[in-house]
Amino acid sequence: MATSQYCTFHLGSLLLGIDVQQVQEVVRPTDTTRVPLAPPVIRGLINLRGHLVTAIDLRRQLGLTDPPPADPPMNLIVRTAGEPVSLLVDAIGDVLEVDSGVFEPPPETLRGPARDLVRGAYKLPGRLLLTLDHDRAVAVATDPPPA
Amino acid sequence: MAELDAIVREFLVESHENLDQLDRDFVVLEQEPDNRDRLASVFRAIHTIKGTCGFFGFGRLEKLTHVGENLLSKLRTGELALDGPITTALLGMVDAVRAMLTTVERTGHDGESDYPDLIETLTRLQVPRPADTVAEPPTPPPTPPRTIGEVLVSQGKVTPAQIQEAIDQQRRGDPLHLGEILVEKNVVKVGDVRDAVHTLKDTRPAAADTSIRVDVGLLDRLMTLVGELVLARNQLIQFAAAVKDGGFHTATQRLNLITTELQEGVMKTRMQPIGNVWDRFPRVVRDLALACGKRVRLEMDGKETELDKTLIEAIKDPLTHIIRNSADHGIEPPELRVARGKPAEGVLRLRAYHEGGQVNIEVSDDGGGIDPDRVRRKAVEKGLITPDRAARMDDREATQLIFLPGFSTAEAVTNVSGRGVGMDVVKTNIEKVGGTIDLHSRPGLGTTLKIKIPLTLAIVPALVVTAGGDRYAIPQVSLIELVRLSGPQARAGVEQVSGADVYRLRGRLLPLVDLAAELGVPASAEPDDVTIVVLQAGDHRFGLVVDAVSDTQEIVVKPLGPQFHGLTVYSGATIMGDGRVALILDVPALAQAAGVLTESRDRGPADTAASPVAAGGERQTLLVLGVDPDRRMAVPLSSVARLEEIPPAAVERADGHEVVQYRGHIMPLVRLNGQPAGGPLQVVVFAHAGRSVGLVVDRIHDVIEQEVEVRHPGRQAGVIGSVVLQERVTELLDVRGLIAAADPFFHAPAIAG
């Protein structure tokens, strides 16, 4: 049976995963420079060894309303067509190997922006692993902000 | 697509270079038809192309160059003299060859066109026409001397016999140079030989070059790496400051110096003389002049001025457009020039020079200049501005209208410059690379366009400021000065703190923009301190209020990711010495967002004439005044030269009017208020061409920026109408009318004596 590897991470009570092939690296909490007037899902810019990386607040991107933990978020650096982008998450989990037999489309209970981002769920023993579409996860609506 | 052989590619690169050289040679030849060296150079270039394309089997190309070569060989032997038609035909051949080469590059073969007309013309021209027949056998022009001996003989320093003697001595095995032998024999002085060597070097074509071709992509990568190195260096220096270790400090210093040198070196590899772009202009101007029946001489000054390759590329098209415009619209036809008392031949002058870390490029012509009235008319016709506004613009403002999108003064669309691209595109392209363009025109005398562009884009000097606890970098090109106010001075200096403040900078009003407020972040400055960064955005000056100014440094510009598309107030970001990211402010965009670009101002009192109050719904910056207990009035801020307080005792009377002595002149006062309140008079000063008029008001309320739409036309003299500003009915003053009443000569041209 076909298996896939996912880099898992936590956001509130959710266990989420991104295709491990798309993850460049994980960076500990780092100084983030906010970008005023940018869309709210953009938390700011970080310096990744001399490269500018945009940090995206995945909690806002998913439309989660639970309060973020007190600890600063981790940076999950994801490869994209252009420059790498950082997804800010609460904590990093393990890399899990899952088989496609336990995969199902997104549960009906999932609503709001998360529905577009979640590809589906793997029914793991005791909990669900929601996998994200990495391209959509890093996409930002590029409407100019109100002046 | 056919994969091109490396050897064909080499041929293409070489041929393109040869063709560029040909363009230059031909234009020189037209001036000096007897220049044998140039003729020989042209012949060689065409011969090389012909030979090589025969080898590759590009038959059509070979056929064309063959005919051209025949014509050239007759020119070279003096059978024919180079004249206009021949030059045109040969230049046509150069163009055809270029087109074929482009086809080769794209498709791998030399295209379908045989250019029969061109070949026919080239063949026909080989037969000497009676008028052109050289009357007497051509006297061979003095060929430049080729050897040191010839130079010395031609200068009369030695006799041919002495040279022969020295040559014989060399033949017998003397290893010394000819000059050395002659000096040894006391025939000539060392200085003479040295001069002769210089003469020889000047007349010979440049020595075999010591350059190699490098891929621009490689240079770009090197530049990026050096950028990284600069960042690493900055971080290291900051780190070193906290470490007490002599050895470490020395090493850091060394690294610092080497990095700076390396940065300069790599930047230099990307530098190219501006002449690389200019070289095509003689040809452009020649063709244009011929096409419009004009005589134009192109003068170039500062060809060796260097700037970054990307910038060279970026200014190529705008410059070409400007040159075409000048030759096509600027310079008049010869008859008209003569009628106007100018030489029949017009002069187009290009000048480039470095100044303050920037490159200045000037394009000037001695043509007819820009007629401000025609520009006004055109702009109104095209609906770009209202007739009312056009009438109130001064000439300088009017000429700037040519930079508006959709404007083109060419009454007849010619195949030369009326191609739908206007000066607005030129302006946009130059601003895109951080440059500015400025236009000066004197009707009847000519036009000068001045372009300023940075030397390079990748690493720029910037001022680092803080606002709301974050650092921002402001490119130094936009920076004019810094003003710091503290304590009571701060409160007095900034007037009307209500979202749109102004500061009186040496008597002139400077609109202020609060950076933190503009970006929507909380400010964290001491409320008693005000730090103003005075910036220039195009024609406009404004003050950016920041929390603090830290320092200036070289920053490496990094573009923002696609997520920030549409966010124009930043031109990029950079990484600071401590490793944190700082955003780079885009000053023109910031000015735009803050709405300080609405009216032209700050050009000195002479230009800030009491002008545009348009009746339409235009966005304007207005100075709101208070008169009597409850009347509010507004005038365009752009018309105001200064705000003054004048003690009542200073008011005198002359000719039945109230006047004050002001800056060595007598300034009439216009009172808007009924009964004077006590205390000093609040006077709004308008200035134009050395004359001033003062408007006495009771209060100066505010400066606001808003769309102005006149609701009720005014019934009273001096009032255009009423508008609603800040939810209050405000009378919009007819500045022009009011002033005219006080000083009928205010708007009239200054009267001599």
Side-chain angles (χ1 to χ4, degrees):
Chain A
M1 201 171 284
T3 63
S4 331
Q5 282 192 323
Y6 282 93
C7 177
T8 67
F9 53 91
H10 301 273
L11 212 52
S13 57
L14 295 177
L15 177 70
L16 298 153
I18 277 193
D19 182 358
V20 79
Q21 298 287 327
Q22 300 300 329
V23 177
Q24 179 182 312
E25 61 189 298
V26 171
V27 179
R28 285 186 298 147
T30 178
D31 277 338
T32 308
T33 302
R34 66 177 162 183
V35 182
L37 307 179
V41 295
I42 295 179
R43 186 71 80 81
L45 293 165
I46 61 170
N47 166 16
L48 181 67
R49 296 185 300 276
H51 290 276
L52 280 187
V53 172
T54 308
I56 289 180
D57 189 330
L58 192 58
R59 190 177 294 273
R60 285 202 181 131
Q61 185 82 313
L62 285 168
L64 301 183
T65 49
D66 58 324
D71 293 335
M74 296 290 286
N75 292 281
L76 185 71
I77 313 289
V78 178
R79 293 192 183 94
T80 70
E83 294 280 304
V85 169
S86 164
L87 293 177
L88 298 178
V89 303
D90 293 351
I92 302 291
D94 297 322
V95 173
L96 294 180
E97 192 157 342
V98 290
D99 64 59
S100 52
V102 295
F103 181 79
E104 268 188 33
E108 298 304 318
T109 47
L110 210 61
R111 303 226 172 271
R115 204 170 167 85
D116 291 334
L117 266 56
V118 174
R119 274 184 182 162
Y122 286 94
K123 295 164 287 179
L124 304 185
R127 66 184 314 177
L128 284 178
L129 168 66
L130 300 176
T131 60
L132 293 184
D133 181 316
H134 60 273
D135 279 334
R136 288 188 186 171
V138 301
V140 174
T142 54
D143 290 333
Chain B
M1 192 176 72
E3 188 57 37
L4 285 186
D5 260 333
I7 189 159
V8 175
R9 206 180 290 279
E10 182 73 13
F11 160 68
L12 287 172
V13 171
E14 205 180 275
S15 300
H16 276 300
E17 273 172 19
N18 276 335
L19 291 174
D20 288 343
Q21 177 65 39
L22 282 181
D23 273 344
R24 270 168 273 163
D25 285 342
F26 276 124
V27 176
V28 171
L29 272 173
E30 214 172 18
Q31 305 302 319
E32 321 161 22
D34 291 334
N35 191 325
R36 289 296 157 118
D37 276 354
R38 294 281 183 170
L39 263 179
S41 151
V42 168
F43 183 81
R44 270 198 307 275
I46 291 295
H47 183 78
T48 310
I49 293 174
K50 187 193 98 170
T52 323
C53 64
F55 175 73
F56 287 123
F58 300 140
R60 291 188 175 84
L61 190 51
E62 190 186 359
K63 197 168 153 202
L64 178 66
T65 44
H66 177 74
V67 188
E69 192 189 350
N70 285 346
L71 181 59
L72 278 167
S73 83
K74 292 208 170 151
L75 289 168
R76 201 166 61 132
T77 55
E79 255 180 83
L80 282 172
L82 189 72
D83 57 10
I86 294 187
T87 311
T88 305
L90 287 173
L91 282 173
M93 175 193 70
V94 172
D95 287 341
V97 170
R98 193 174 274 135
M100 283 179 169
L101 288 176
T102 312
T103 315
V104 169
E105 205 170 343
R106 225 178 35 242
T107 62
H109 55 82
D110 58 353
E112 303 299 324
S113 180
D114 282 326
Y115 297 94
D117 293 348
L118 187 58
I119 289 176
E120 199 271 322
T121 310
L122 288 168
T123 319
R124 183 169 43 78
L125 287 169
Q126 285 174 33
V127 183
R129 280 156 292 162
D132 293 339
T133 319
V134 188
E136 48 199 80
T139 43
T143 37
R146 288 275 169 235
T147 67
I148 187 104
E150 282 176 36
V151 174
L152 286 168
V153 172
S154 70
Q155 288 174 344
K157 297 275 163 44
V158 292
T159 60
Q162 285 168 322
I163 296 288
Q164 196 52 49
E165 209 174 297
I167 291 171
D168 290 344
Q169 191 172 328
Q170 274 184 327
R171 290 222 178 99
R172 287 194 297 272
D174 192 325
L176 290 180
H177 290 290
L178 189 81
E180 289 170 323
I181 296 173
L182 291 171
V183 172
E184 209 170 54
K185 292 186 164 194
N186 275 330
V187 181
V188 289
K189 290 200 235 19
V190 178
D192 291 337
V193 175
R194 202 169 291 143
D195 288 346
V197 170
H198 283 300
T199 314
L200 201 59
K201 274 190 184 149
D202 289 344
T203 51
R204 263 193 195 162
D209 46 339
T210 51
S211 57
I212 52 162
R213 285 183 212 286
V214 181
D215 182 38
V216 180
L218 177 64
L219 289 184
D220 285 344
R221 276 200 297 287
L222 275 179
M223 193 69 202
T224 316
L225 283 174
V226 167
E228 304 299 332
L229 188 63
V230 168
L231 289 177
R233 188 259 327 251
N234 291 353
Q235 273 164 278
L236 202 60
I237 287 177
Q238 222 163 62
F239 181 56
V243 179
K244 288 189 177 55
D245 184 331
F248 184 62
H249 276 264
T250 317
T252 319
Q253 272 315 312
R254 229 180 114 57
L255 179 74
N256 183 13
L257 290 177
I258 296 171
T259 308
T260 308
E261 247 176 71
L262 184 65
Q263 183 191 335
E264 279 166 14
V266 171
M267 256 153 84
K268 250 186 216 147
T269 62
R270 300 173 47 91
M271 293 299 220
Q272 288 189 322
I274 197 162
N276 286 9
V277 183
W278 286 7
D279 277 347
R280 57 196 225 154
F281 292 150
R283 168 82 197 271
V284 169
V285 170
R286 178 205 175 269
D287 287 358
L288 240 159
L290 219 58
C292 338
K294 292 180 185 175
R295 289 177 55 196
V296 184
R297 186 172 79 243
L298 181 66
E299 286 181 1
M300 299 195 276
D301 190 10
K303 273 176 103 157
E304 65 292 334
T305 312
E306 289 191 319
L307 68 165
D308 195 280
K309 186 181 158 58
T310 41
L311 288 168
I312 294 245
E313 289 299 318
I315 60 163
K316 200 151 121 191
D317 290 342
L319 262 188
T320 312
H321 190 79
I322 292 170
I323 300 259
R324 283 168 167 274
N325 257 340
S326 287
D328 192 19
H329 306 311
I331 290 173
E332 313 95 322
E335 318 81 62
L336 188 59
R337 290 184 60 90
V338 174
R340 286 181 178 173
K342 295 194 224 179
E345 187 179 54
V347 177
L348 190 58
R349 209 155 165 260
L350 276 171
R351 198 164 156 246
Y353 56 96
H354 283 145
E355 189 186 72
Q358 283 183 295
V359 181
N360 290 14
I361 305 167
E362 286 173 17
V363 184
S364 51
D365 63 59
D366 65 346
I370 296 171
D371 179 359
D373 287 329
R374 221 179 105 199
V375 172
R376 281 194 191 98
R377 239 182 13 246
K378 202 88 191 171
V380 171
E381 259 172 45
K382 305 221 166 189
L384 300 172
I385 55 165
T386 59
D388 193 38
R389 179 151 174 213
R392 286 162 195 267
M393 274 185 167
D394 65 30
D395 287 355
R396 201 195 130 91
E397 276 178 291
T399 50
Q400 306 291 331
L401 290 174
I402 65 161
F403 289 118
L404 283 182
F407 189 94
S408 165
T409 49
E411 257 152 32
V413 172
T414 61
N415 66 343
V416 176
S417 40
R419 287 161 303 132
V421 227
M423 291 301 284
D424 62 312
V425 179
V426 168
K427 191 176 157 109
T428 320
N429 284 347
I430 285 170
E431 283 176 350
K432 224 184 268 168
V433 293
T436 58
I437 183 163
D438 197 23
L439 177 94
H440 284 272
S441 169
R442 287 166 304 160
L445 294 174
T447 309
T448 300
L449 271 157
K450 195 167 175 180
I451 299 168
K452 279 188 185 204
I453 41 175
L455 278 175
T456 179
L457 289 178
I459 300 180
V460 296
L463 178 77
V464 180
V465 301
T466 37
D470 290 320
R471 281 172 303 183
Y472 296 91
I474 301 173
Q476 221 149 42
V477 284
S478 311
L479 184 65
I480 307 285
E481 63 180 302
L482 296 175
V483 179
R484 190 174 158 75
L485 309 171
S486 56
Q489 209 194 342
R491 277 192 292 273
V494 177
E495 296 176 48
Q496 297 305 321
V497 185
S498 67
D501 313 336
V502 294
Y503 171 67
R504 297 188 205 191
L505 182 63
R506 291 183 288 277
R508 303 246 303 274
L509 290 177
L510 186 74
L512 295 183
V513 175
D514 187 293
L515 181 57
E518 196 56 43
L519 297 178
V521 296
S524 58
E526 292 290 310
D528 277 353
D529 286 350
V530 179
T531 306
I532 301 170
V533 183
V534 183
L535 297 171
Q536 181 92 33
D539 276 348
H540 304 265
R541 228 168 243 207
F542 69 102
L544 191 67
V545 180
V546 300
D547 294 350
V549 167
S550 34
D551 60 349
T552 59
Q553 55 178 268
E554 300 259 290
I555 57 164
V556 180
V557 180
K558 290 172 178 291
L560 293 178
Q563 298 88 0
F564 299 96
H565 182 76
L567 200 54
T568 54
V569 293
Y570 311 113
S571 57
T574 188
I575 293 165
M576 308 295 289
D578 61 2
R580 289 200 58 153
V581 178
L583 291 158
I584 304 168
L585 296 177
D586 184 321
V587 173
L590 188 68
Q592 182 89 47
V596 290
L597 293 187
T598 41
E599 288 294 337
S600 351
R601 23 186 281 106
D602 294 302
R603 282 208 208 104
D607 285 341
T608 52
S611 56
V613 182
E618 277 181 81
R619 217 168 160 75
Q620 290 203 350
T621 309
L622 297 165
L623 180 67
V624 183
L625 313 164
V627 179
D628 297 339
D630 52 3
R631 274 176 82 190
R632 283 166 76 99
M633 301 180 164
V635 293
L637 189 57
S638 56
S639 64
V640 177
R642 288 183 191 81
L643 300 179
E644 297 284 353
E645 284 187 352
I646 292 172
V651 179
E652 300 171 64
R653 294 190 76 82
D655 205 11
H657 291 289
E658 282 186 305
V659 296
V660 287
Q661 294 178 28
Y662 182 68
R663 297 188 175 218
H665 293 281
I666 297 172
M667 176 168 79
L669 295 179
V670 181
R671 275 192 192 266
L672 292 175
N673 48 358
Q675 60 274 25
L681 305 178
Q682 299 287 337
V683 179
V684 182
V685 180
F686 301 91
H688 176 57
R691 310 181 74 101
S692 308
V693 169
L695 205 62
V696 184
V697 300
D698 288 332
R699 294 169 303 277
I700 290 168
H701 276 301
D702 207 347
V703 172
I704 58 167
E705 198 235 336
Q706 171 165 339
E707 300 241 328
V708 175
E709 203 175 333
V710 176
R711 296 275 173 89
H712 303 285
R715 284 178 300 251
Q716 207 183 326
V719 175
I720 292 175
S722 328
V723 295
V724 176
L725 297 177
Q726 295 178 322
E727 301 174 349
R728 296 276 306 264
V729 174
T730 306
E731 291 162 58
L732 204 55
L733 292 181
D734 174 9
V735 175
R736 221 179 149 89
L738 276 172
I739 291 172
D743 180 355
F745 297 110
F746 189 83
H747 293 291
I751 296 157

